[in-house]
């Protein structure tokens, strides 16, 4: 039989996905001292490694630029790595309001934003976002919201983000595939049910159009939900 030049299918691993991230990033993501310093500081301060990857951060940056975002709402600051990506996408008078429940994490994020020279663009609200978001009544609506916090509260965060968003604005919710577990009817936990509740609510929401994109990379197999407020 003549050779086709096609490799036989084989299971891929997180090592394969991470290698692919590194390879593509080497062409597409220039060195950025501020982002690298933030990652270094987060690691030295003992923050959990649960933030977005470099490739995912760049995607968030590009999405913000693509809709000419000026105001960004973020739920889940952690050490401010994704916040820096967003801040770099905004114009000089752009603004980010980001919510972080852990005061220690918020302090580290403040350090990173100050070191990056972006602190003036960012307001960090310390406290439980489910309680703090309803208190927010800005004069101008937000253009984009990014939700990357506790999954059981996904629906609350989404509904509040929708309230605060302009028509045509975008809501991105991270970690909605969870290694395929969300779609497995035999599995359940608080995180999985938090995603399922969000999906069910969006299904009947006539003001929202959305899709889920599965992803693989150095962070494993997961995905994000991209929603448009009509």
């Amino acid at each position: 039989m003549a050779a086709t030049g096609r490799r036989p299918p084989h299971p891929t691993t997180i090592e394969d996905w991470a290698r692919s991230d590194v390879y593509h990033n080497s062409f597409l993501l220039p060195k950025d001292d501020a982002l690298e310093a933030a990652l270094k500081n987060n690691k030295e301060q003992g923050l959990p490694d649960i933030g977005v990857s470099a490739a995912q951060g760049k995607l968030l940056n590009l999405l913000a630029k693509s809709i000419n975002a000026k105001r960004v709402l973020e739920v889940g600051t952690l050490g401010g790595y994704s916040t820096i990506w967003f801040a770099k996408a905004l114009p000089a008078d752009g603004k980010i309001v980001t919510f972080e429940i852990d005061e220690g994490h918020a302090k580290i994020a403040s350090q990173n934003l100050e070191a990056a020279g972006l602190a003036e663009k960012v307001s960090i609200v310390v406290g439980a976002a489910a309680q703090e978001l309803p208190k927010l009544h800005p004069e101008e609506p937000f253009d984009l919201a990014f939700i990357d916090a506790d999954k059981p509260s996904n629906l609350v965060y989404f509904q509040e983000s929708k309230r605060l968003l302009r028509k045509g604005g975008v809501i991105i919710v991270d970690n909605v595939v969870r290694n395929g577990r969300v779609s497995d009817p035999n599995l359940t936990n608080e995180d999985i049910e938090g995603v399922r509740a969000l999906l069910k609510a969006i299904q009947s929401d006539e003001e929202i159009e959305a899709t889920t994109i599965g992803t693989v990379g150095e962070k494993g197999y997961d995905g994000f939900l991209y929603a448009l407020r009509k």
Side-chain angles (χ1 to χ4, degrees), residues 17-226:
W17 307 334
R19 184 182 66 249
S20 180
D21 268 5
V22 170
Y23 179 77
H24 285 268
N25 291 352
S26 70
F27 293 97
L28 304 176
L29 273 61
K31 177 180 171 61
D32 189 301
D33 292 337
L35 288 164
E36 291 184 11
L39 288 177
K40 182 174 183 291
N41 189 40
N42 290 350
K43 184 175 182 180
E44 290 176 350
Q45 299 276 3
L47 287 189
D49 185 23
I50 56 174
V52 300
S53 69
Q56 292 165 344
K58 182 64 174 181
L59 176 62
L60 296 175
N61 175 278
L62 292 173
L63 290 172
K65 288 178 178 176
S66 71
I67 63 168
N68 297 311
K70 187 176 178 180
R71 292 174 54 79
V72 171
L73 177 69
E74 181 180 52
V75 183
T77 318
L78 194 60
Y81 182 69
S82 56
T83 319
I84 292 174
W85 275 111
F86 278 125
K88 286 177 172 289
L90 301 187
D93 60 344
K95 187 70 175 178
I96 301 170
V97 178
T98 180
F99 290 80
E100 175 53 51
I101 194 170
D102 189 294
E103 186 173 354
H105 294 174
K107 288 180 179 178
I108 295 168
S110 294
Q111 294 170 4
N112 292 333
L113 288 160
E114 189 69 39
L118 297 167
E120 290 187 0
K121 287 185 176 182
V122 182
S123 294
I124 301 176
V125 180
V126 180
Q131 280 73 54
E132 297 298 328
L133 278 165
K135 301 176 185 177
L136 198 60
H137 298 280
E139 292 183 3
E140 294 182 65
F142 290 90
D143 303 298
L144 186 152
F146 177 54
I147 300 170
D148 189 11
D150 63 296
K151 310 312 169 189
S153 301
N154 265 344
L155 182 54
V156 173
Y157 299 151
F158 188 90
Q159 290 172 332
E160 283 298 316
S161 296
K162 176 187 166 185
R163 176 181 69 83
L164 294 163
L165 215 65
R166 65 169 171 84
K167 290 186 177 181
V170 168
I171 305 174
I172 301 169
V173 187
D174 202 9
N175 308 125
V176 297
V177 174
R178 312 195 69 78
N179 206 37
R181 294 187 178 96
V182 171
S183 62
D184 188 335
N186 299 311
L187 297 178
T188 185
N189 60 39
E190 287 186 346
D191 292 341
I192 289 173
E193 294 306 324
V195 177
R196 288 172 178 166
L198 174 61
L199 294 172
K200 289 175 184 176
I202 291 175
Q203 183 180 26
S204 58
D205 190 332
E206 295 183 355
E207 295 181 320
I208 293 291
E209 288 188 58
T211 190
T212 293
I213 300 296
T215 61
V216 294
E218 63 183 83
K219 296 290 184 175
Y221 171 33
D222 210 325
F224 64 91
L225 183 141
Y226 186 100

